[in-house]
Amino acid sequence: MNLGMFFALLGAALAVGMAGMGSSYGVGVASEAASAVLSNDPSKFGKMLVLQLLPGTQGLYGLIIAVMVLLNVGILGGTPVGDTMLGLQYLSACLPIALGGYFSAKSQGRVCAAGCSLTAKRPEESSKAIVSASLIELYALLGFIVSFLMVINIV
């Protein structure tokens, strides 16, 4: 394997790995809070499920970028990367979703946990908890969009 391919694959691994780690942490934190609520009132399952799922989207964004890179660099199709600079471009293109996904998912998990507490006390306010958590999603989407645009424009 040449150095260019190594850097491209490192980028794909970081995109899926870091965004996935952030998502697993965020979903875990939100799920712990939701479990506490559901132990007292199982009828709130639907509202809790939305708050549990929200931090998981960053992992999906990272996976999409990683698959796009693998399609472009000859692993799942495309032309194998031979140039070190090209590999570094792919690595750079993966960083926005890797870092943005990691940090936003962790933060979103904490906000969703707080939203579970709010919903436990005032179920009619669950939409406010979802909106608060969705504000953090914007930054994951920005990282995804930047990574997407960079990957599709690498020549």
Side-chain angles (χ1 to χ4, degrees):
M1 178 185 328
N2 63 52
L3 200 53
M5 182 66 85
F6 170 77
F7 285 130
L9 295 178
L10 177 61
L14 287 173
V16 76
M18 290 186 69
M21 286 190 311
S23 283
S24 63
Y25 175 86
V27 169
V29 169
S31 294
E32 287 174 9
S35 294
V37 172
L38 293 173
S39 68
N40 291 325
D41 186 1
S43 70
K44 293 184 175 126
F45 176 74
K47 293 178 180 185
M48 295 296 114
L49 184 61
V50 172
L51 291 168
Q52 289 173 272
L53 290 174
L54 277 171
T57 57
Q58 286 86 335
L60 294 174
Y61 301 153
L63 176 65
I64 291 168
I65 295 302
V67 168
M68 288 176 61
V69 170
L70 295 177
L71 285 168
N72 289 353
V73 301
I75 300 297
L76 299 176
T79 306
V81 174
D83 182 21
T84 301
M85 287 308 293
L86 192 60
L88 286 170
Q89 288 176 359
Y90 280 110
L91 173 60
S92 298
C94 291
L95 291 178
I97 191 55
L99 296 171
Y102 177 76
F103 289 109
S104 68
K106 287 184 72 172
S107 297
Q108 195 173 44
R110 290 191 302 273
V111 170
C112 287
C116 289
S117 298
L118 170 65
T119 303
K121 294 176 185 173
R122 301 181 68 185
E124 69 279 1
E125 302 294 338
S126 66
S127 61
K128 291 179 181 172
I130 293 168
V131 168
S132 294
S134 298
L135 294 173
I136 298 168
E137 187 76 21
L138 171 67
Y139 296 97
L141 279 170
L142 293 175
F144 172 70
I145 290 168
V146 168
S147 286
F148 181 84
L149 291 173
M150 289 171 74
V151 168
I152 64 171
N153 285 296
I154 292 175
V155 189

